[in-house]
Amino acid sequence: MRAGALRLLDQMPEVKVAPGTLDGKQVLNLTVGMPAMPGESPQTITIDAATGVPLKLSNGSDGSTTFVVTRISLADVKKGSF
């Protein structure tokens, strides 16, 4: 399902897809150049190239990070470390 969605995004002229690396992982950076609302900055979502799992969402031309996706386990939640 993710592969199909990514192929559709790749066909949209507003979305630029560029390969890259993040923490040693191969990633794809999907950037929307035209802001959805006036005054908004372009946004880039970084996904794992192998799995399609989102890793980071950045906005603005300076690439400031808005969200970083992390994975936790149930044991982490029980310990209160998340």
Side-chain angles (χ1 to χ4, degrees), residues 55-78:
L55 301 173
K56 181 173 91 168
L57 175 66
S58 303
N59 66 8
S61 56
D62 63 353
S64 58
T65 299
T66 306
F67 300 102
V68 175
V69 179
T70 58
R71 302 288 182 227
I72 60 170
S73 67
L74 185 55
D76 293 331
V77 174
K78 286 180 181 178

Side-chain angles (χ1 to χ4, degrees), residues 22-67:
L22 178 68
D23 298 332
K25 292 182 181 180
Q26 296 293 316
V27 297
L28 294 173
N29 296 302
L30 291 83
T31 302
V32 177
M34 294 294 295
M37 299 289 291
E40 284 188 359
S41 300
Q43 294 187 342
T44 300
I45 187 166
T46 302
I47 62 170
D48 185 300
T51 64
V53 172
L55 301 173
K56 181 173 91 168
L57 175 66
S58 303
N59 66 8
S61 56
D62 63 353
S64 58
T65 299
T66 306
F67 300 102

